[in-house]
Amino acid sequence: AQKVTQAQTEISVVEKEDVTLDCVYETRDTTYYLFWYKQPPSGELVFLIRRNSFDEQNEISGRYSWNFQKSTSSFNFTITASQVVDSAVYFCALGKAAGNKLTFGGGTRVLVKP
Amino acid sequence: DVKVTQSSRYLVKRTGEKVFLECVQDMDHENMFWYRQDPGLGLRLIYFSYDVKMKEKGDIPEGYSVSREKKERFSLILESASTNQTSMYLCASRPTRLLTQYFGPGTRLLVL
């Protein structure tokens, strides 16, 4: 069975602080995919990134960066110099190589205060 | 841009009513999904469809059914709404060649 754990339910920071969201996953598959989605107050989940299990390179996109460590089954997400617009719920998800099912973590609510 | 729309943002229904939630995508995606989102539980898959008239149960199908008569439209049906079906419902779609799912804005359903 697959499982995704986001241990932090809520994080509150002041604008310009960095914030790191933890994601730990469990799977028996050797090939799998990991995702991060952002859910702003409007409700729609916005796709941020997808990584496959063979690519452990860290990735940076603007103020966002991701640290994938297969050895610890973690796929952590850092927002650098946070802004109020980063306030949202962030979900980590795990997908099989074949098939349609995504397993989501419980989400981490990030509140960035001005 | 992928566009997934849901018929209502907010719905209030009474226990025992039949409820229809509609989802439409405009990108000719083969696969469509219905999730429910509850605090602390993340998103849980109710049903998905990989083609017209085809459907498969997800993790929590009890109390729900689905219909996919046209490729662009996927409906979630609550045959007899109950208070424990009060939740946020999210629709998603993806093309078979890609793994990323694209989500609609969600429908907040309150069952009284």
Side-chain angles (χ1 to χ4, degrees):
Chain A
Q2 301 196 109
K3 185 178 178 181
V4 176
T5 302
Q6 295 180 252
Q8 306 144 306
T9 54
E10 185 164 325
I11 301 174
S12 183
V13 297
V14 177
E15 210 169 13
K16 297 185 183 176
E17 287 184 346
D18 298 347
V19 56
T20 295
L21 284 62
D22 298 332
C23 172
V24 175
Y25 62 92
E26 297 175 26
T27 180
R28 292 181 182 172
D29 296 338
T30 53
T31 303
Y32 52 88
Y33 293 82
L34 293 162
F35 301 80
W36 276 96
Y37 284 89
K38 173 183 179 180
Q39 186 180 41
S42 60
E44 180 175 339
L45 264 74
V46 177
F47 165 72
L48 296 178
I49 189 171
R50 181 186 75 239
R51 297 310 292 251
N52 71 55
S53 51
F54 295 112
D55 183 1
E56 288 193 67
Q57 271 194 332
N58 292 330
E59 181 154 341
I60 298 175
S61 175
R63 296 183 296 106
Y64 294 170
S65 61
W66 291 270
N67 183 349
F68 177 27
Q69 294 202 346
K70 212 167 177 179
S71 60
T72 56
S73 297
S74 65
F75 186 42
N76 296 338
F77 171 34
T78 297
I79 303 172
T80 302
S82 60
Q83 299 176 3
V84 172
V85 293
D86 296 326
S87 296
V89 181
Y90 292 86
F91 290 96
C92 180
L94 170 66
K96 289 178 171 286
N100 271 307
K101 189 176 174 191
L102 286 183
T103 300
F104 283 82
T108 298
R109 181 177 299 276
V110 174
L111 178 61
V112 181
K113 299 175 183 176
Chain B
D1 267 0
V2 177
K3 190 72 174 174
V4 180
T5 58
Q6 295 183 227
S7 51
S8 306
R9 294 301 304 271
Y10 301 94
L11 270 181
V12 180
K13 296 292 181 180
R14 297 227 171 257
T15 302
E17 279 192 76
K18 190 169 185 176
V19 181
F20 292 87
L21 302 182
E22 305 285 339
C23 175
V24 176
Q25 49 94 6
D26 66 356
M27 288 301 292
D28 203 37
H29 289 173
E30 295 85 2
N31 305 277
M32 297 187 74
F33 309 81
W34 275 106
Y35 293 88
R36 65 177 280 175
Q37 179 184 354
D38 300 288
L41 298 179
L43 278 70
R44 293 178 292 166
L45 183 64
I46 305 171
Y47 268 97
F48 67 94
S49 168
Y50 51 90
D51 203 350
V52 175
K53 297 192 185 296
M54 306 305 288
K55 61 185 180 184
E56 283 198 26
K57 293 179 180 179
D59 296 321
I60 52 166
E62 298 78 17
Y64 303 94
S65 62
V66 291
S67 172
R68 192 157 180 213
E69 297 296 318
K70 293 184 178 181
K71 192 174 186 180
E72 67 271 19
R73 188 180 298 270
F74 191 34
S75 303
L76 179 69
I77 304 156
L78 287 65
E79 295 288 344
S80 179
S82 63
T83 54
N84 63 12
Q85 292 178 310
T86 290
S87 188
M88 169 78 139
Y89 290 87
L90 289 156
C91 175
S93 73
R94 77 168 182 95
T96 298
R97 68 186 187 282
L98 293 176
L99 290 160
T100 302
Q101 295 183 18
Y102 296 92
F103 285 81
T107 297
R108 289 196 181 276
L109 173 66
L110 173 61
V111 182
L112 300 173

